[in-house]
Amino acid sequence: MRLAIRGSRETPRRSRASRARRLTGAALATFLGAAVLAPAAPAAADSPLRDHAAQQGFEIGAALGADHLQNDSQFADLAATEFNASTPENSMKWSVTEPSRGQFDFSQADAYMDFAQANNQKVRGHTLVWHSQLPSWVENGNFSESELLSIMENHIDEVAGRYAGEIAYWDVANEIFLGDGSWRNSVFYETIGPDFVAEALRMAAEADPSAELWLNDYSIDGINAKSDAYYNLIQDLLAQGVPIDGIGLQAHLINGQVPSSLQQNIQRFADLGIDVAITELDVRIQMPASDSELQQQAQDYRAVMDACLAVDGCIGVTVWGIVDKYSWVPDTFEGEGAPLLYNDNYQPKPAYDAVHAALGGQNDDGDDGDDGDDDPPPDPSGPCAVSYSVANEWNSGFTGQLTFTNNGSSALNGWDLQFDFADGQQVNNGWSAEWSQSGSTVTVSNASWNASVPAGGSVSVGFNATHSGANSEPDSFTLNGQSCSVS
Ligand code: 9MR
């Protein structure tokens, strides 16, 4: 049922200039201090992420917290310099924009919009209808179906209407399914039934006809019961002519656990004719994060970037924050953290290099970005170069790391790396690849997500092994049967 009641449009957004005049002190300095970046010319070797992304019509975004934008100029500078898209982390949520019925507060949302526009960023509005961060007057109001629809319509009309024409994508409904693909029992579902989603999409289309209208959720990155539920719902919505333009895969990931079906999942949604994006990427690590975990994290970021870049309908990747210390992760997952591209001192992590390289950037140090290490530049003398190191060693065991670089002039599509142990070492388990050992010969084969290695690209893998006494390093390696130089 579409209600006839229309929300008022009597609070249009003031012009940027008039709002900017209301800003004082640090806030104004932050806004004016942030670089206003022109569309990219060909990206230089060390160009920021956004320049490389722009080269390929791709969006690289970040969630921006209101406090940090206002009060942390280092954060605001990184946000402006590195990203050509952004999402307000909390500023457009219902509890912030309409804390009491009919009382709207757009101060945070306006400030965010000023920043995004001053820095030429595509905006993802987040989010109109969500069970969380919902004020208790909505959640506990015991409204009838028609009254809740009218409340929803007024909210959408006020919020999406205020920024009509200025927002590229709206996360219209957020997190509507549970892990098993059943409907979440939100107040919207309980009161209105599953149609609340179609209603919200239609209301958003009316409030802002130019925005793309999206659904968004976590744990739908791979093919599973929950992403199947979205796949079915979106097919139904399209069949009914409900406006639906995209699906956001949030990708709040655990280190080392990028779903192997990520690219296939992105592809199946794109094949429905809608857009897809990675909307809230972070990769959390059990703290404290070791070097090898940071390398793994870099590979995970690279895998996600590659999966999206490989599918035509995947328009961009947004990371859920910029610096680790402001991430939502440690507050929610005890003992876990360090999920983002920059550490607490605003220094880029290996994960940053990986994203940079995935976008076609060459890292300053000659690193390919896969592992964040200072990899040697490709050695023109052979088809591959391998570096081997023992990261940790104890009485009877050790952890080893291997990085190989594809020095050939074309991409590898699938690879086997082989080497021999001289001292009876035995691999127990390995990561970032399939590991097997026969006698003294170890074979490391690509995982599905790192099968493709561009010319000049590198892959890092690791393993745990036992040894008794001597533990000499292997001195020769082959990649797909061809012998590699060893550095
Ligand atoms: O990062 C957001 C955090 O600051 C808020 O406290 C939290 C409230 O639920 O929401 C976080 O962002 C969430 C996003 O809006 C929707 N997907 C999950 C995100 C992480 O919880």
Side-chain angles (χ1 to χ4, degrees):
M1 171 185 52
R2 179 87 172 102
L3 296 182
I5 305 164
R6 301 282 308 145
S8 111
R9 289 283 180 76
E10 278 161 14
T11 54
R13 223 159 98 71
R14 288 169 294 276
S15 74
R16 186 185 316 155
S18 72
R19 275 175 293 107
R21 274 194 292 279
R22 289 181 293 116
L23 297 170
T24 53
L28 184 58
T30 298
F31 284 133
L32 298 182
V36 178
L37 296 163
D46 58 352
S47 296
L49 302 177
R50 64 180 295 163
D51 291 3
H52 294 288
Q55 293 296 300
Q56 27 194 311
F58 194 74
E59 288 167 29
I60 184 79
L64 305 181
D67 280 2
H68 317 312
L69 270 190
Q70 296 274 341
N71 303 321
D72 182 341
S73 61
Q74 276 177 286
F75 177 93
D77 281 348
L78 284 176
T81 307
E82 295 288 341
F83 300 96
N84 64 357
S86 61
T87 305
E89 186 172 3
N90 291 301
S91 306
M92 288 187 185
K93 290 174 179 172
W94 198 314
S95 58
V96 178
T97 52
E98 194 185 4
S100 316
R101 187 167 181 176
Q103 305 287 306
F104 288 88
D105 179 351
F106 291 112
S107 50
Q108 277 190 29
D110 282 354
Y112 159 77
M113 287 299 286
D114 283 339
F115 181 88
Q117 290 173 340
N119 292 291
N120 197 21
Q121 294 177 334
K122 279 263 182 92
V123 170
R124 175 173 294 277
H126 177 82
T127 173
L128 294 170
V129 178
W130 187 28
H131 68 279
S132 181
Q133 285 178 301
L134 191 60
S136 95
W137 71 266
V138 183
E139 193 158 5
N140 304 314
N142 274 321
F143 299 114
S144 66
E145 178 181 349
S146 63
E147 193 166 10
L148 188 57
L149 275 165
S150 146
I151 285 168
M152 218 169 82
E153 178 168 49
N154 189 50
H155 181 77
I156 291 174
D157 207 40
E158 288 288 330
V159 180
R162 182 175 182 84
Y163 303 108
E166 300 177 61
I167 291 207
Y169 322 100
W170 262 112
D171 290 338
V172 175
N174 197 38
E175 301 173 2
I176 57 176
F177 288 125
L178 298 176
D180 63 1
S182 62
W183 286 89
R184 182 190 290 280
N185 277 332
S186 67
V187 67
F188 302 105
Y189 179 75
E190 293 277 277
T191 313
I192 302 167
D195 267 1
F196 84 88
V197 175
E199 290 293 346
L201 288 162
R202 292 193 189 103
M203 291 168 184
E206 227 176 280
D208 183 354
S210 65
E212 279 196 19
L213 308 177
W214 289 51
L215 304 177
N216 187 53
D217 212 327
Y218 60 89
S219 300
I220 58 166
D221 319 306
I223 293 180
N224 55 36
K226 192 173 178 181
S227 60
D228 284 349
Y230 276 97
Y231 187 75
N232 295 332
L233 174 67
I234 289 168
Q235 279 185 314
D236 284 354
L237 293 169
L238 290 168
Q240 290 169 46
V242 176
I244 170 78
D245 301 299
I247 178 86
L249 316 181
Q250 292 183 6
H252 292 295
L253 300 176
I254 296 171
N255 207 26
Q257 296 186 23
V258 177
S260 57
S261 55
L262 174 62
Q263 185 175 324
Q264 203 188 336
N265 192 39
I266 294 172
Q267 186 70 61
R268 74 168 170 161
F269 283 107
D271 288 345
L272 291 177
I274 60 167
D275 283 339
V276 188
I278 305 297
T279 50
E280 304 186 11
L281 178 60
D282 48 28
V283 181
R284 58 186 185 267
I285 300 178
Q286 200 65 43
M287 298 299 282
S290 68
D291 282 352
S292 67
E293 285 167 323
L294 293 171
Q295 305 291 332
Q296 176 64 57
Q297 182 184 53
Q299 292 197 18
D300 289 354
Y301 268 94
R302 177 71 193 246
V304 173
M305 291 295 298
D306 286 351
C308 182
L309 283 159
V311 178
D312 269 354
C314 196
I315 61 168
V317 172
T318 292
V319 286
W320 203 244
I322 297 178
V323 288
D324 284 338
K325 64 183 172 185
Y326 297 147
S327 165
W328 69 292
V329 164
D331 294 338
T332 307
F333 301 99
E334 204 184 327
E336 296 179 69
L340 296 169
L341 301 183
Y342 289 86
N343 68 19
D344 293 352
N345 300 316
Y346 307 87
Q347 295 307 305
K349 293 160 59 184
Y352 174 92
D353 290 342
V355 171
H356 191 245
L359 291 169
Q362 171 87 49
N363 294 324
D364 288 351
D365 51 8
D367 179 14
D368 58 84
D370 271 355
D371 58 7
D373 266 339
D374 294 341
D375 295 344
D379 174 0
S381 65
C384 47
V386 173
S387 71
Y388 176 100
S389 62
V390 172
N392 192 13
E393 189 170 14
W394 56 98
N395 281 350
S396 56
F398 66 105
T399 300
Q401 285 177 339
L402 272 167
T403 298
F404 74 81
T405 302
N406 171 17
N407 286 342
S409 54
S410 57
L412 298 174
N413 194 11
W415 47 266
D416 287 312
L417 180 70
Q418 278 196 329
F419 60 91
D420 286 308
F421 277 130
D423 299 319
Q425 298 100 321
Q426 179 69 44
V427 173
N428 295 327
N429 65 298
W431 46 93
S432 303
E434 304 293 330
W435 290 78
S436 62
Q437 183 167 353
S438 170
S440 61
T441 304
V442 178
T443 303
V444 193
S445 304
N446 62 271
S448 58
W449 51 268
N450 61 7
S452 149
V453 187
S458 295
V459 173
S460 292
V461 296
F463 63 95
N464 286 323
T466 51
H467 69 85
S468 47
N471 184 18
S472 58
E473 298 193 353
D475 55 8
S476 69
F477 299 83
T478 61
L479 185 68
N480 292 348
Q482 294 192 285
S483 114
C484 303
S485 62
V486 184
S487 54

